[in-house]
Amino acid sequence: MKAKGTLKEFTVVGRKLPTETEPVTPLYRMRIFATDPVVAKSRFWYFLRQLRKFKKTTGEIVSCEEVKEKSPLKVKNFGIWLRYNSRSGTHNMYREYRDLTVNGAITQCYRDMGARHRARAHSIQIIRCEAVAANKCRRPLVTQMHDSKIKFPLPCRVQKQTGGLVQANRPSTYFL
């Protein structure tokens, strides 16, 4: 899987094809993060092959729908449980991100895993992703933003020049 652009959340529902011995087969629903529906269906079969004893040739996809965020204008904290294969083995991990949407947090996670751990997109498996309350957050990168009196000072600020193109004195950039 290539994680190009932002990843989207899909709900894919599939089942084993009915046979004479088993006319009614159970439905399997998965929450998949992928770039498009084609990749989402492919990942669905990849995970289902590991969990149950059937594959794409003996099954069918009932539906594949993109899930839209309920409140995309509110900043939320997301906890992501994942598993990935590194050069030395398989690792489980819990990570926290602050974003407006689940898709944004998952995309951030894939970029972060690639940067910090050199993990490729195909080797990352998202186990669970959910919004986490501010008092339940564990990571300092996320908790530092929970201060109600947070400030973002600009100690080195360049002010716009007015007048001619050439100025005789050097600009003063340090304002406190």
Side-chain angles (χ1 to χ4, degrees), residues 2 4 32 36 44 51-52 56 58 61 64 78 80 94-95 100 105-106 108 113 122 125 131 141 159 165 170 175:
K2 288 222 184 289
K4 270 185 147 181
I32 305 282
D36 55 11
F44 172 79
L51 297 168
R52 297 283 177 263
K56 189 178 177 179
T58 58
I61 296 227
C64 178
F78 291 100
I80 300 171
Y94 170 75
R95 303 184 75 80
L100 295 169
I106 292 289
Q108 217 177 323
M113 289 297 293
H122 63 83
Q125 297 177 4
L141 208 67
Q159 291 183 328
L165 294 172
R170 187 174 274 158
F175 306 100

Side-chain angles (χ1 to χ4, degrees), residues 8 14 27 30 33 45-46 77 108 116 121 134 137 143 162 176:
K8 300 177 192 89
L27 293 169
M30 264 186 217
F33 294 95
W45 289 121
Y46 169 77
N77 308 306
Q108 217 177 323
R116 291 180 198 268
C137 287
T143 54
T162 55
L176 278 181

Side-chain angles (χ1 to χ4, degrees), residues 31-102:
R31 184 184 182 195
I32 305 282
F33 294 95
T35 49
D36 55 11
V38 177
V39 177
K41 290 174 191 174
S42 173
R43 294 297 281 174
F44 172 79
W45 289 121
Y46 169 77
F47 290 123
L48 205 67
R49 228 179 15 247
Q50 293 176 346
L51 297 168
R52 297 283 177 263
K53 201 166 171 62
F54 69 96
K55 52 189 181 179
K56 189 178 177 179
T57 55
T58 58
E60 67 177 348
I61 296 227
V62 177
S63 77
C64 178
E65 296 170 350
E66 189 180 333
V67 178
K68 296 288 182 188
E69 186 76 26
K70 285 185 177 69
S71 54
L73 300 174
K74 183 185 168 203
V75 178
K76 295 170 278 297
N77 308 306
F78 291 100
I80 300 171
W81 287 261
L82 61 98
R83 156 187 159 166
Y84 79 101
N85 294 323
S86 72
R87 293 181 184 124
S88 58
T90 306
H91 311 280
N92 292 317
M93 202 177 270
Y94 170 75
R95 303 184 75 80
E96 282 178 356
Y97 296 97
R98 220 170 132 73
D99 211 294
L100 295 169
T101 61
V102 179

Side-chain angles (χ1 to χ4, degrees), residues 104-153:
I106 292 289
T107 305
Q108 217 177 323
C109 180
Y110 270 83
R111 302 288 179 267
D112 199 35
M113 289 297 293
R116 291 180 198 268
H117 302 281
R118 303 293 182 266
R120 307 294 183 263
H122 63 83
S123 69
I124 300 170
Q125 297 177 4
I126 304 294
I127 297 167
R128 199 167 99 196
C129 176
E130 59 185 42
V132 180
N135 61 345
K136 298 272 191 246
C137 287
R138 302 182 228 170
R139 304 291 182 255
L141 208 67
V142 173
T143 54
Q144 71 180 356
M145 300 301 230
H146 295 159
D147 184 15
S148 61
K149 295 182 180 76
I150 193 166
K151 290 182 179 178
F152 300 98

